[in-house]
Amino acid sequence: MLENISFANPELFWLLLLLPLAVLWYFYKRKEQQASLKLPTIKGFTSTGLLPRLRPLLFILRLLALAAIIVAMARPQTEDITTRTKTTKGIDIVMAIDVSSSMLARDLKPNRLSALKEVAAKFIRERPNDRIGLVAYAGEAYTKTPITSDKSIVLSSLREITYGQLNDGTAIGMGLATSVNRLKESKASSKVIILLTDGVNNSGFIEPQTAADLATEFGIKTYTIGLGTNGNALTPIAYNADGSYRYGMRQVEIDEELLKDIANVTGGQYFRATDNEKLEAIYDEINKLEKTEIEEFKYYKYEEKFRPWVLLAGGLLLLEWILRNTFFRSFI
């Protein structure tokens, strides 16, 4: 009966301390109320039977009824909580991903592009209340997925991103400008671009500084990430006869000054990821920096459960009254 039950007035359980006092009072008064008669002998008297010995049962019924009344006064109740969340400040995010040949370098495991896709997928799953889009760029840029709240579409599109879909090169300005184009009409209170590259701007007809100015004009914050180890990395340098890549050591060149300028102009931050762990830590940091405000409403529904205890107390008192006026009538 008490399973999953809470009490509105639990302090009333202190009244249960009256029960032991009532027991002591009962035995004290019982001795005073019993009449005594001195006889020279009790020979000839027969036993009065079992009923006199059961007479304390009446008092026990009263105690149980009193305990049930105290429980009812404590107001047992069940609690049903309904929670509804409302996003009060949504964020629209575009992830601009470099898919040039250098993203196949193996300084991250298994390579830069695969490591990025794994970390980016985790980031997307952790943003359930935001809209996210994808832009891929190399020597040119295109929108892989417009901003959407359907994370399954974004994750599926992310898995499909590979090298070879675009002309090789690194058009940072094109990647940033395409991302701005996806966000400029957004009505979200916060608009963010996460632009990742592992090289130097060497392609495209839009200068990165021009694209950064466009982002600033439309109130779009840009986080830039330079991806690649310090020093040399095992990078594709040619094709083998069977079409596979031939790898060789090449100097890692990232235009960090450009990426810092883009971040500063737009109000974002620049990060450098030299290994898998740092890349994941950077996306975790961005996840913390860009918080979506969520309002939570809780509705409480209480159902009173004191009635069964009142009925139990009434039943015990009725049983006590019936026994007192029937079986135990001649002994009271």
Side-chain angles (χ1 to χ4, degrees):
M1 187 178 291
L2 293 177
E3 187 177 357
N4 299 323
I5 294 290
S6 60
F7 294 89
N9 304 311
E11 65 277 3
L12 292 180
F13 282 118
W14 287 104
L15 294 175
L16 292 174
L17 295 176
L18 296 175
L19 300 184
L21 296 177
V23 172
L24 295 175
W25 180 256
Y26 171 77
F27 283 106
Y28 174 75
K29 296 298 291 183
R30 183 184 179 194
K31 292 180 180 179
E32 288 187 352
Q33 292 173 355
Q34 287 179 339
S36 61
L37 178 64
K38 293 183 178 180
L39 296 174
T41 180
I42 59 173
K43 186 178 181 180
F45 287 88
T46 58
S47 173
T48 56
L50 183 62
L51 284 178
R53 299 175 183 174
L54 295 178
R55 188 171 63 181
L57 177 62
L58 300 176
F59 176 70
I60 293 173
L61 291 174
R62 292 181 191 175
L63 283 183
L64 292 176
L66 178 59
I69 291 172
I70 292 173
V71 172
M73 291 171 60
R75 285 182 59 198
Q77 53 190 211
T78 57
E79 182 181 78
D80 182 25
I81 303 176
T82 303
T83 302
R84 182 172 66 88
T85 59
K86 176 185 177 183
T87 302
T88 58
K89 183 183 177 184
I91 300 176
D92 282 353
I93 301 171
V94 169
M95 305 174 72
I97 300 173
D98 187 343
V99 293
S100 58
S101 59
S102 57
M103 285 292 288
L104 300 178
R106 293 175 177 173
D107 47 351
L108 276 74
K109 305 301 180 184
N111 58 53
R112 294 174 184 172
L113 184 57
S114 296
L116 167 63
K117 288 165 65 173
E118 181 179 345
V119 173
K122 177 176 176 287
F123 176 85
I124 292 168
R125 294 188 190 98
E126 292 177 351
R127 311 291 302 192
N129 301 296
D130 301 320
R131 298 195 304 168
I132 296 178
L134 297 176
V135 166
Y137 72 95
E140 51 191 334
Y142 77 104
T143 300
K144 179 65 176 177
T145 306
I147 52 175
T148 176
S149 58
D150 191 334
K151 301 305 183 295
S152 62
I153 293 177
V154 182
L155 290 170
S156 177
S157 298
L158 180 65
R159 287 191 293 269
E160 293 172 358
I161 291 178
T162 59
Y163 166 70
Q165 297 172 330
L166 296 169
N167 293 329
D168 203 9
T170 305
I172 296 175
M174 294 289 291
L176 181 56
T178 303
S179 302
V180 170
N181 193 48
R182 299 301 350 151
L183 286 171
K184 67 180 182 179
E185 303 296 335
S186 169
K187 302 300 182 183
S189 52
S190 184
K191 296 175 283 188
V192 172
I193 294 172
I194 303 174
L195 183 142
L196 180 142
T197 185
D198 67 344
V200 177
N201 185 70
N202 56 23
S203 302
F205 55 85
I206 299 179
E207 291 296 323
Q209 291 83 356
T210 303
D213 291 338
L214 286 173
T216 303
E217 181 179 344
F218 289 106
I220 302 171
K221 187 186 302 182
T222 304
Y223 292 98
T224 56
I225 302 174
L227 182 63
T229 188
N230 294 312
N232 296 318
L234 197 60
T235 308
I237 57 175
Y239 285 101
N240 293 314
D242 59 1
S244 62
Y245 296 111
R246 182 183 302 168
Y247 284 82
M249 299 302 292
R250 276 191 174 177
Q251 179 73 28
V252 176
E253 295 182 5
I254 300 174
D255 194 343
E256 292 193 279
E257 289 303 316
L258 172 63
L259 297 179
K260 289 177 182 178
D261 288 342
I262 293 173
N264 290 334
V265 167
T266 60
Q269 291 186 35
Y270 168 70
F271 301 92
R272 178 67 185 271
T274 55
D275 54 39
N276 294 59
E277 290 73 22
K278 287 186 178 179
L279 178 62
E280 185 170 0
I282 288 169
Y283 273 89
D284 287 342
E285 180 67 17
I286 297 174
N287 198 18
K288 293 175 184 176
L289 290 171
E290 294 298 328
K291 289 291 186 182
T292 300
E293 294 180 9
I294 298 176
E295 206 168 48
E296 184 176 81
F297 299 90
K298 284 189 176 182
Y299 302 92
Y300 296 86
K301 180 182 178 182
Y302 297 96
E303 185 176 350
E304 299 290 345
K305 296 293 183 180
F306 66 87
R307 294 177 184 84
W309 293 96
V310 173
L311 293 175
L312 176 62
L316 291 171
L317 291 174
L318 177 62
L319 177 61
E320 190 268 349
W321 182 84
I322 293 173
L323 293 176
R324 177 183 293 277
N325 290 278
T326 54
F327 295 101
F328 295 99
R329 184 179 181 86
S330 59
F331 298 103
I332 304 301

